[in-house]
Amino acid sequence: MAAVQETIDTVGTLQTDKYKYGFVTDIESDRAPKGLNEDTVRYISAAKGEPQWLLDWRLEAFRRWKEMHEPNWAKLRYPTIDFQDAYYYSAPRRKPKLNSLDEVDPDLLATYAKLGIPLGEQKLLANVAVDAVFDSVSVVTTFKEKLGEAGVIFCSFSEAVREHPELVRKYLGTVVPASDNFYATLNSAVFSDGSFVYIPPGVRCPMELSTYFRINAAETGQFERTLIIADRDSYVSYLEGCTAPQRDENQLHAAVVELVALDNAEIKYSTVQNWYPGDETGKGGIYNFVTKRGDCRGAHSKISWTQVETGSAITWKYPSCILRGDNSVGEFYSIAIANNYQQADTGTKMIHLGRNTRSRIVSKGISAGYAQNTYRGLVSVHPKAEGARNFTQCDSLLIGGHCGAHTVPYIESRNPTAKLEHEATTSKISEDQLFYATSRGIPAEEAIALIVNGFCRDVLQQLPMEFAVEAQKLVGISLEGSVG
Amino acid sequence: MLEIRNLHVEVGGKEILKGLTLSIPAGEVHAIMGPNGSGKSTLSYTLAGRDGYVVTSGDILYQGESIIGLLPEQRAAKGVFLALQYPIEIPGVTTMTFLRTALNAQRKARGEQLMDAAQFLRLVRAKGKTLNVNDEMLRRPLNAGFSGGEKKRAEILQMALFEPKFAVLDETDSGLDIDALKLVAEGVNALRGPDRAMLVITHYQRLLDYIVPDHVHVLAGGRIIKSGGRELALELEKSGYDDIIKAAA
Ligand SMILES: Nc1ncnc2c1ncn2[C@@H]1O[C@H](COP(=O)(O)OP(=O)(O)OP(=O)(O)O)[C@@H](O)[C@H]1O
Ligand SMILES: [Mg+2]
């Protein structure tokens, strides 16, 4: 493995500052006092001018959370998190309500431009509406009018609480209950903002929707909440992107995403997660504890998760589908890259409740450096799920000799007609392959990116066109300085 | 073009090449023959710059400059090409993508303009045609599941695309049927020219009926022990290596 080692070393020296989103925006902000108690919850709710029912919901979640324990079943190691040693709310100081981009703080616009997300009207991404969330609040949502014409509601969560309380109240917590798990319950108590989407019956959303989350403030946790409802016969494709500054301390991110698909509706949810992963010695980085779940509530509904997970020091994330409606379909396509000292424990749950429900899982885990990458999945077929089908494919790719890949698939079938297939492979980028590629003129680092992109092809193809190229580049960047 | 001077090479701590000297002027094709395990592939890997093939003494001059300090990709950009005895499978990366990435990497290193997808497609199809490599094969992952002969043809396709100045073919003829052998030979002959040179490693003098060499060398025990013209290959085929090795000892 001499050549591989040398490649690693050479690349390692080039590596120092490859996370190009690591800058900090110097901006005035208001934040809640440090620590977490009932007053923190009240502060957040008051800051957002929330109705009593939502405050009560938060407080109930907080009471439950105090009695819960952090889960420890994942293959993750990290020091105990001191939940009192963080800020739970931080908002850029600005006018109370924004009506147009002209009113957005120019520093914020500049921040998003630097992230490659132009919010300025002239430079809007073609056919993609963006909701930009900065620390705890939504800064701006683009293309609102055009979406409004189609009847699509796309706004920040806070705005939805104000403008569409009946929808929020009807669906909030119905997929991920406030008591679901330690992090989701914490989120329910202190969530700050996020995106809300409602697609009315029969509407095919005229453009891609996307939210860009940005953590900026130090020592501040980010707890956003996303709720997407696709009413009967509707369709929406939604993309989430995330970045954070480079900081020495670990920052907590505990989001909740709830998706509801009614009869014949389809939701395609894509994530390109690029939170700061920590430096090459494992210092700093985001702790990402996220609960994402979709409910195929209606017959013939479909929910498809695609994720490209390249960032975060720790990833704890299992986007899942509850296949409740008969003939509903759940999909999970995942690329999880862990380099240096990153740890990823990610996968999915497919819960087959309805008849003839189908699910498909394609997971590609790439480990490099000293990273640990675990696929953890559950396929569960309930007694009434006559004719349920699942296909699972889990592939792991190892780069270098110090990293680890683990596959933990759980299967529970309580219906004899179910057909479940599972395939798993583990491979390595070999010395032979690297020599072959370099002897053809391809530098080692580029060769690794090429081979890894080839390995992930099935999943990359699932991303919306606008983002596939970006994701492909990200795969390369994440592995720079890899191999160990 | 290429001058190998008293080359000693160690692999895994064991000396395999033990003072190999060989000179290949521009415009010439040389053939190397030799018993199994004599160091032929070791020589080809060393020329390509594979890590782990440690030059302990001697030198390799290419176009008048030593290349022993250069990485494989740097040698490739300078026009050195090796068709492997056992080509490597690259799962998931289509042949087309791999070849374009490689060609553009070489062009970039030389400061030339990159080829866009359309230009490249035209070029690779034209080159593929003469080697009987069709679009279907170009869309498959490189070498993955290719038959032995297909792998060898894919190697020669790469040579045709890159148009190297100095190419080493390590037993490219092994495993080829007679039609494929002719195709490969045509590909090689098409590349012959006054400013190019080639080193053809083979066990069979039959190949040399199609690619007629200017010189034939016998490699045994990590050294060139005999050199001659075309007729040396015929002699070897008739009487084997024993007599020559004994005579050289
Ligand atoms: N990593 C290694 N460690 C020790 N010995 C090695 C190593 N690699 C190759 N060798 C030895 O070096 C010698 C030369 O091998 P090489 O592959 O160059 O032979 P060759 O002339 O190409 O043979 P063939 O005609 O069978 O292809 C062999 O004895 C082989 O076992
Ligand atoms: Mg050999």
Short mmCIF file of all heavy atoms in Angstrom, two decimals, chain B residues 10-17 32-45 52-53 85-86 170-171 201-203 219 222, ligand 1:
data_model
loop_
_atom_site.label_atom_id
_atom_site.label_comp_id
_atom_site.label_asym_id
_atom_site.label_seq_id
_atom_site.Cartn_x
_atom_site.Cartn_y
_atom_site.Cartn_z
N GLU B 10 14.43 -2.99 -7.28
CA GLU B 10 13.98 -3.88 -6.22
C GLU B 10 12.47 -3.82 -6.08
O GLU B 10 11.88 -2.75 -6.15
CB GLU B 10 14.57 -3.44 -4.87
CG GLU B 10 15.93 -4.02 -4.59
CD GLU B 10 16.43 -3.63 -3.21
OE1 GLU B 10 15.58 -3.38 -2.30
OE2 GLU B 10 17.65 -3.56 -3.05
N VAL B 11 11.87 -4.98 -5.87
CA VAL B 11 10.44 -5.03 -5.58
C VAL B 11 10.27 -5.84 -4.30
O VAL B 11 10.77 -6.96 -4.20
CB VAL B 11 9.65 -5.74 -6.71
CG1 VAL B 11 8.15 -5.63 -6.44
CG2 VAL B 11 9.99 -5.15 -8.05
N GLY B 12 9.57 -5.25 -3.35
CA GLY B 12 9.36 -5.96 -2.08
C GLY B 12 10.68 -6.40 -1.46
O GLY B 12 10.77 -7.49 -0.90
N GLY B 13 11.71 -5.57 -1.59
CA GLY B 13 13.00 -5.86 -0.98
C GLY B 13 13.85 -6.86 -1.76
O GLY B 13 14.95 -7.22 -1.35
N LYS B 14 13.35 -7.30 -2.92
CA LYS B 14 14.09 -8.30 -3.68
C LYS B 14 14.56 -7.67 -5.00
O LYS B 14 13.77 -7.00 -5.68
CB LYS B 14 13.13 -9.46 -3.97
CG LYS B 14 13.76 -10.69 -4.56
CD LYS B 14 12.70 -11.77 -4.72
CE LYS B 14 13.07 -12.71 -5.85
NZ LYS B 14 11.93 -13.45 -6.37
N GLU B 15 15.81 -7.88 -5.33
CA GLU B 15 16.29 -7.30 -6.58
C GLU B 15 15.81 -8.13 -7.77
O GLU B 15 16.07 -9.34 -7.84
CB GLU B 15 17.83 -7.21 -6.58
CG GLU B 15 18.34 -6.61 -7.87
CD GLU B 15 19.77 -6.07 -7.77
OE1 GLU B 15 20.70 -6.89 -7.91
OE2 GLU B 15 19.93 -4.85 -7.58
N ILE B 16 15.11 -7.49 -8.69
CA ILE B 16 14.57 -8.20 -9.86
C ILE B 16 15.34 -7.81 -11.12
O ILE B 16 15.73 -8.66 -11.91
CB ILE B 16 13.07 -7.89 -10.05
CG1 ILE B 16 12.29 -8.10 -8.75
CG2 ILE B 16 12.50 -8.74 -11.19
CD1 ILE B 16 12.17 -9.51 -8.27
N LEU B 17 15.54 -6.52 -11.34
CA LEU B 17 16.37 -6.11 -12.48
C LEU B 17 17.78 -5.86 -11.97
O LEU B 17 17.99 -5.15 -10.98
CB LEU B 17 15.79 -4.84 -13.14
CG LEU B 17 14.38 -4.98 -13.72
CD1 LEU B 17 13.98 -3.70 -14.46
CD2 LEU B 17 14.26 -6.20 -14.64
N ILE B 32 11.04 -7.46 -26.66
CA ILE B 32 11.73 -8.17 -25.59
C ILE B 32 11.06 -9.50 -25.40
O ILE B 32 9.82 -9.59 -25.34
CB ILE B 32 11.72 -7.38 -24.26
CG1 ILE B 32 12.71 -6.21 -24.34
CG2 ILE B 32 12.07 -8.29 -23.08
CD1 ILE B 32 12.94 -5.52 -23.02
N MET B 33 11.85 -10.56 -25.36
CA MET B 33 11.34 -11.89 -25.07
C MET B 33 12.13 -12.41 -23.88
O MET B 33 13.20 -11.92 -23.57
CB MET B 33 11.50 -12.81 -26.28
CG MET B 33 10.81 -12.23 -27.52
SD MET B 33 10.91 -13.26 -28.99
CE MET B 33 9.61 -14.42 -28.68
N GLY B 34 11.56 -13.38 -23.20
CA GLY B 34 12.30 -13.91 -22.05
C GLY B 34 11.43 -14.85 -21.26
O GLY B 34 10.21 -14.78 -21.33
N PRO B 35 12.06 -15.73 -20.48
CA PRO B 35 11.29 -16.71 -19.72
C PRO B 35 10.37 -16.06 -18.69
O PRO B 35 10.57 -14.91 -18.33
CB PRO B 35 12.36 -17.55 -19.02
CG PRO B 35 13.68 -17.02 -19.40
CD PRO B 35 13.50 -15.85 -20.29
N ASN B 36 9.40 -16.81 -18.21
CA ASN B 36 8.51 -16.33 -17.15
C ASN B 36 9.34 -15.94 -15.94
O ASN B 36 10.29 -16.63 -15.57
CB ASN B 36 7.53 -17.43 -16.71
CG ASN B 36 6.55 -17.79 -17.81
OD1 ASN B 36 6.30 -18.95 -18.10
ND2 ASN B 36 6.00 -16.79 -18.46
N GLY B 37 8.96 -14.84 -15.35
CA GLY B 37 9.63 -14.42 -14.11
C GLY B 37 10.98 -13.78 -14.33
O GLY B 37 11.72 -13.53 -13.37
N SER B 38 11.32 -13.47 -15.57
CA SER B 38 12.65 -12.91 -15.81
C SER B 38 12.72 -11.41 -15.52
O SER B 38 13.81 -10.85 -15.40
CB SER B 38 13.08 -13.18 -17.26
OG SER B 38 12.11 -12.67 -18.15
N GLY B 39 11.56 -10.76 -15.39
CA GLY B 39 11.57 -9.34 -15.04
C GLY B 39 11.00 -8.42 -16.11
O GLY B 39 11.17 -7.20 -16.04
N LYS B 40 10.29 -8.98 -17.08
CA LYS B 40 9.77 -8.16 -18.18
C LYS B 40 8.70 -7.17 -17.68
O LYS B 40 8.75 -5.98 -17.99
CB LYS B 40 9.18 -9.07 -19.27
CG LYS B 40 10.20 -10.07 -19.84
CD LYS B 40 9.62 -10.89 -20.97
CE LYS B 40 8.45 -11.79 -20.55
NZ LYS B 40 8.84 -12.84 -19.56
N SER B 41 7.74 -7.71 -16.91
CA SER B 41 6.70 -6.80 -16.39
C SER B 41 7.28 -5.82 -15.38
O SER B 41 6.86 -4.67 -15.30
CB SER B 41 5.56 -7.60 -15.75
OG SER B 41 4.88 -8.34 -16.73
N THR B 42 8.27 -6.30 -14.64
CA THR B 42 8.94 -5.40 -13.70
C THR B 42 9.54 -4.21 -14.45
O THR B 42 9.40 -3.05 -14.02
CB THR B 42 10.05 -6.16 -12.94
OG1 THR B 42 9.44 -7.28 -12.29
CG2 THR B 42 10.75 -5.29 -11.93
N LEU B 43 10.15 -4.49 -15.58
CA LEU B 43 10.71 -3.41 -16.39
C LEU B 43 9.60 -2.46 -16.86
O LEU B 43 9.73 -1.23 -16.78
CB LEU B 43 11.45 -4.00 -17.61
CG LEU B 43 11.94 -2.97 -18.64
CD1 LEU B 43 12.98 -2.03 -18.02
CD2 LEU B 43 12.52 -3.66 -19.88
N SER B 44 8.46 -3.02 -17.29
CA SER B 44 7.41 -2.14 -17.81
C SER B 44 6.81 -1.28 -16.70
O SER B 44 6.57 -0.09 -16.90
CB SER B 44 6.35 -2.96 -18.56
OG SER B 44 5.67 -3.82 -17.68
N TYR B 45 6.60 -1.86 -15.53
CA TYR B 45 6.09 -1.06 -14.40
C TYR B 45 7.08 0.03 -14.00
O TYR B 45 6.70 1.15 -13.67
CB TYR B 45 5.82 -1.94 -13.17
CG TYR B 45 4.58 -2.79 -13.28
CD1 TYR B 45 4.58 -4.11 -12.81
CD2 TYR B 45 3.39 -2.29 -13.80
CE1 TYR B 45 3.45 -4.91 -12.87
CE2 TYR B 45 2.25 -3.08 -13.86
CZ TYR B 45 2.28 -4.38 -13.40
OH TYR B 45 1.16 -5.15 -13.44
N GLY B 52 6.68 1.40 -5.50
CA GLY B 52 7.09 0.09 -5.01
C GLY B 52 8.13 -0.57 -5.90
O GLY B 52 8.70 -1.58 -5.54
N TYR B 53 8.36 0.01 -7.07
CA TYR B 53 9.40 -0.48 -7.98
C TYR B 53 10.58 0.46 -7.82
O TYR B 53 10.65 1.51 -8.45
CB TYR B 53 8.89 -0.57 -9.42
CG TYR B 53 7.91 -1.71 -9.55
CD1 TYR B 53 6.64 -1.61 -9.00
CD2 TYR B 53 8.28 -2.91 -10.16
CE1 TYR B 53 5.75 -2.67 -9.05
CE2 TYR B 53 7.39 -3.98 -10.22
CZ TYR B 53 6.13 -3.85 -9.66
OH TYR B 53 5.26 -4.90 -9.70
N GLN B 85 -0.10 -6.03 -18.96
CA GLN B 85 -0.28 -7.46 -19.20
C GLN B 85 -1.64 -7.89 -18.64
O GLN B 85 -2.36 -8.66 -19.26
CB GLN B 85 0.84 -8.25 -18.51
CG GLN B 85 0.76 -9.75 -18.73
CD GLN B 85 1.96 -10.49 -18.15
OE1 GLN B 85 2.85 -9.90 -17.53
NE2 GLN B 85 1.99 -11.80 -18.36
N TYR B 86 -1.98 -7.37 -17.47
CA TYR B 86 -3.29 -7.66 -16.86
C TYR B 86 -4.02 -6.34 -16.57
O TYR B 86 -3.87 -5.78 -15.49
CB TYR B 86 -3.12 -8.44 -15.55
CG TYR B 86 -2.35 -9.73 -15.74
CD1 TYR B 86 -1.05 -9.86 -15.25
CD2 TYR B 86 -2.92 -10.80 -16.43
CE1 TYR B 86 -0.33 -11.04 -15.43
CE2 TYR B 86 -2.20 -11.98 -16.62
CZ TYR B 86 -0.91 -12.10 -16.12
OH TYR B 86 -0.22 -13.26 -16.31
N ASP B 170 2.94 -4.80 -22.87
CA ASP B 170 3.35 -5.97 -22.11
C ASP B 170 2.41 -7.13 -22.43
O ASP B 170 1.29 -7.18 -21.93
CB ASP B 170 3.33 -5.64 -20.61
CG ASP B 170 4.00 -6.73 -19.77
OD1 ASP B 170 4.38 -7.79 -20.34
OD2 ASP B 170 4.14 -6.53 -18.54
N GLU B 171 2.88 -8.03 -23.24
CA GLU B 171 2.10 -9.22 -23.65
C GLU B 171 0.69 -8.88 -24.10
O GLU B 171 -0.27 -9.55 -23.73
CB GLU B 171 2.05 -10.24 -22.50
CG GLU B 171 3.41 -10.82 -22.21
CD GLU B 171 3.33 -12.10 -21.39
OE1 GLU B 171 2.33 -12.82 -21.53
OE2 GLU B 171 4.28 -12.36 -20.63
N ILE B 201 6.67 -6.43 -25.53
CA ILE B 201 7.05 -7.62 -24.77
C ILE B 201 6.15 -8.76 -25.21
O ILE B 201 4.92 -8.61 -25.24
CB ILE B 201 6.88 -7.37 -23.25
CG1 ILE B 201 7.84 -6.26 -22.80
CG2 ILE B 201 7.10 -8.66 -22.46
CD1 ILE B 201 7.58 -5.76 -21.39
N THR B 202 6.74 -9.90 -25.57
CA THR B 202 5.90 -11.01 -26.02
C THR B 202 6.60 -12.35 -25.80
O THR B 202 7.82 -12.43 -25.64
CB THR B 202 5.53 -10.86 -27.52
OG1 THR B 202 4.66 -11.94 -27.88
CG2 THR B 202 6.76 -10.92 -28.41
N HIS B 203 5.79 -13.39 -25.77
CA HIS B 203 6.34 -14.74 -25.72
C HIS B 203 6.31 -15.41 -27.08
O HIS B 203 6.85 -16.48 -27.26
CB HIS B 203 5.54 -15.61 -24.74
CG HIS B 203 5.81 -15.30 -23.30
ND1 HIS B 203 7.05 -15.48 -22.74
CD2 HIS B 203 5.03 -14.81 -22.32
CE1 HIS B 203 7.00 -15.13 -21.45
NE2 HIS B 203 5.78 -14.71 -21.19
N LEU B 219 15.59 -11.07 -22.39
CA LEU B 219 15.73 -10.68 -20.99
C LEU B 219 15.68 -11.95 -20.15
O LEU B 219 14.73 -12.73 -20.24
CB LEU B 219 14.60 -9.73 -20.60
CG LEU B 219 14.48 -9.30 -19.13
CD1 LEU B 219 15.77 -8.69 -18.62
CD2 LEU B 219 13.34 -8.31 -18.96
N GLY B 222 16.96 -10.72 -15.07
CA GLY B 222 17.02 -9.29 -14.79
C GLY B 222 18.00 -8.50 -15.65
O GLY B 222 18.35 -7.38 -15.32
N1 LIG C 1 6.18 -7.72 -4.87
C1 LIG C 1 7.08 -8.66 -5.18
N2 LIG C 1 7.83 -9.22 -4.22
C2 LIG C 1 8.73 -10.15 -4.50
N3 LIG C 1 8.95 -10.64 -5.74
C3 LIG C 1 8.22 -10.11 -6.75
C4 LIG C 1 7.25 -9.11 -6.52
N4 LIG C 1 6.69 -8.79 -7.70
C5 LIG C 1 7.30 -9.58 -8.63
N5 LIG C 1 8.21 -10.37 -8.07
C6 LIG C 1 9.04 -11.37 -8.73
O1 LIG C 1 9.80 -10.75 -9.73
C7 LIG C 1 10.06 -11.65 -10.77
C8 LIG C 1 9.80 -11.01 -12.10
O2 LIG C 1 8.42 -10.83 -12.30
P1 LIG C 1 7.83 -10.21 -13.63
O3 LIG C 1 6.38 -10.09 -13.44
O4 LIG C 1 8.60 -8.99 -13.95
O5 LIG C 1 8.18 -11.36 -14.67
P2 LIG C 1 7.83 -11.47 -16.21
O6 LIG C 1 9.10 -11.54 -16.91
O7 LIG C 1 6.92 -10.38 -16.60
O8 LIG C 1 7.09 -12.87 -16.27
P3 LIG C 1 5.86 -13.39 -17.21
O9 LIG C 1 6.47 -13.80 -18.49
O10 LIG C 1 5.34 -14.56 -16.45
O11 LIG C 1 4.87 -12.28 -17.33
C9 LIG C 1 9.21 -12.88 -10.48
O12 LIG C 1 10.03 -13.89 -9.92
C10 LIG C 1 8.23 -12.40 -9.47
O13 LIG C 1 7.81 -13.43 -8.63
#
